Amino acid sequence: MTVNRVGLVVHGGRAEARTAAVAVRDWCAEHAVECTDIDVWQQGARHSARAEVDAAGDPDLIVTLGGDGTFLRGARLAAENDALVLGVDLGRVGFLTEVPAPAVRAALDAVREERITVESRMLLTMRASCRLEVPAQMEALMRYGRGPMLPPPRVRVDCAAGGDWGVALNVTALNDVVLEKLARDRQVSVAVYLAGRLLACYSADALLVATPTGSTAYSFAAGGPVVSPRAEALVFTPVAPHMVFNRSVVAAPDEPVALRVLERSGQAAVSIDGQLRGVLSPGDWIGVYAAPRRLKAVRLGPMDFYGRLRERMNLTDAPAALADGRAAPLWPVSSPRPADLAHLALPGAPDATADPPPGGTPPPPA
């Protein structure tokens, strides 16, 4: 593909990220490709994704240099501009980044020569009973130990607002949307609705809605299931609920999850991919559903999600499973299937643009 502009998102606190950034800038200079650093905290301020990509000249490729946190920042920008995103791996336990730092130039060559696969990832978006804002005193408190906060989410002008459906917010989440307690000594009380029906009222430290991509992040730490990133689903997970039912619920992509703060609850914070974006009071609510847009992630080869799961989580085999024989063999995903499995055809990557099957459910409205 033709790459005209590259946007760089760099973890400035890591020397190896700064070194890799030099390699990207050198490659761009050699190929007459414009390269701009974006998502830069200038004079202590943060900007919306739209403002940042506009300032960078609408890049068609976002390159992130860091771990999964840096990739999430780049994904927010790429989704806003429908650009490709390439994650260079400088993290420790992440699942999102793709390319080791020494191979960044080869990866850029592969993009330019179209020797890549574009993986489509599900995103979340939101409606809310009110605009999301962070009180000034809360911003000062949360700034301790963190960088500047993002501005309040904008309202989507392409969606009708009003009545029971609230305000359509121009936000996207690759990992999760989280509603969590503000007071250390008090849980939040929240009514949870799935597909418009009341599931239960929870008292918990937090409640979150994750994508399949985000199933290995906060949801996993809270006891949620691991879901293939190729799946289409919303994963609802309560965090330390004060009730017997503490399990996750996996909903279809056209079954939105709504969270309403109950009357006797304290205030609750709304975080989107780990970024605090607003505070809700009793009676306020948010609705989380599949976004109409998708993230386009660059892959240089087959995505070995389960091999990465085994590696990142340091999975070991049960001693009882190995007591009477040798360890199970490992096959790279790029190698031919063993002869005794040759009759099993692996499914192809799903086409997010394909029409639903007869009698199937169409994608949810924007």
Side-chain angles (χ1 to χ4, degrees):
M1 62 170 291
T2 301
V3 179
N4 296 313
R5 296 176 185 271
V6 169
L8 267 181
V9 181
V10 184
H11 189 310
R14 305 189 63 172
E16 58 267 46
R18 297 192 296 271
T19 300
V22 172
V24 174
R25 295 187 190 102
D26 289 346
W27 183 92
C28 290
E30 294 169 10
H31 294 85
V33 174
E34 294 189 35
C35 183
T36 305
D37 284 66
I38 55 178
D39 195 29
V40 178
W41 298 351
Q42 297 178 349
Q43 300 177 353
R46 294 291 298 277
H47 307 284
S48 70
R50 183 72 264 161
E52 288 171 338
V53 296
D54 285 347
D58 293 329
D60 41 36
L61 174 66
I62 305 292
V63 178
T64 71
L65 306 172
D68 277 5
T70 308
F71 186 89
L72 288 172
R73 291 164 60 192
R76 181 174 64 91
L77 303 169
E80 180 71 26
N81 212 45
D82 197 33
L84 296 178
V85 59
L86 171 66
V88 177
D89 186 12
L90 297 167
R92 297 176 179 86
V93 294
F95 281 82
L96 300 176
T97 49
E98 165 76 359
V99 178
V104 63
R105 289 181 63 95
L108 291 170
D109 286 336
V111 173
R112 186 167 179 264
E113 296 165 10
E114 299 185 353
R115 293 183 285 107
I116 62 171
T117 299
V118 178
E119 185 178 66
S120 176
R121 292 283 183 106
M122 178 180 174
L123 298 168
L124 300 176
T125 190
M126 292 172 52
R127 283 182 179 264
S129 57
C130 58
R131 294 182 181 231
L132 290 184
E133 294 182 349
V134 179
Q137 65 272 21
M138 176 64 63
E139 182 174 0
L141 177 64
M142 298 301 293
R143 188 171 293 173
Y144 178 76
R146 299 189 180 190
M149 298 178 64
L150 286 163
R154 293 173 294 136
V155 174
R156 289 177 58 187
V157 297
D158 61 321
C159 289
D164 296 334
W165 290 98
V167 179
L169 299 178
N170 188 24
V171 297
T172 54
L174 176 60
N175 268 357
D176 48 44
V177 175
V178 180
L179 191 64
E180 56 192 326
K181 68 179 185 180
L182 285 178
R184 183 181 179 89
D185 61 346
R186 187 174 185 181
Q187 294 185 312
V188 290
S189 296
V190 179
V192 177
Y193 299 81
L194 271 78
R197 304 291 291 180
L198 177 66
L199 174 68
C201 294
Y202 288 78
S203 181
D205 283 357
L207 302 111
L208 64 90
V209 183
T211 63
T213 296
S215 70
T216 52
Y218 191 3
S219 179
F220 176 83
V226 174
V227 182
S228 167
R230 293 175 55 187
E232 298 290 308
L234 280 71
V235 182
F236 163 72
T237 301
V239 181
H242 201 265
M243 61 191 297
V244 173
F245 186 74
N246 62 354
R247 303 304 177 92
S248 298
V249 177
V250 180
D254 60 347
E255 296 177 331
V257 181
L259 309 173
R260 184 184 184 89
V261 183
L262 296 177
E263 179 183 356
R264 294 180 180 272
S265 175
Q267 289 184 308
V270 179
S271 297
I272 301 170
D273 280 347
Q275 296 279 342
L276 179 65
R277 304 301 301 274
V279 173
L280 298 183
S281 298
D284 292 335
W285 58 264
I286 58 173
V288 183
Y289 55 100
R293 67 181 69 175
R294 313 272 301 187
L295 182 72
K296 300 191 296 187
V298 172
R299 298 296 178 198
L300 302 185
M303 174 57 176
D304 184 13
F305 172 73
Y306 301 107
R308 183 169 293 189
L309 178 67
R310 178 181 175 88
E311 172 192 346
R312 297 299 201 196
M313 298 300 177
N314 293 317
L315 299 185
T316 56
D317 303 315
L322 307 178
D324 298 322
R326 294 177 297 174
L330 297 175
W331 290 293
V333 294
S334 57
S335 66
R337 289 189 297 275
D340 58 337
L341 299 180
H343 65 288
L344 298 179
L346 296 178
D351 183 359
T353 62
D355 294 330
T361 303

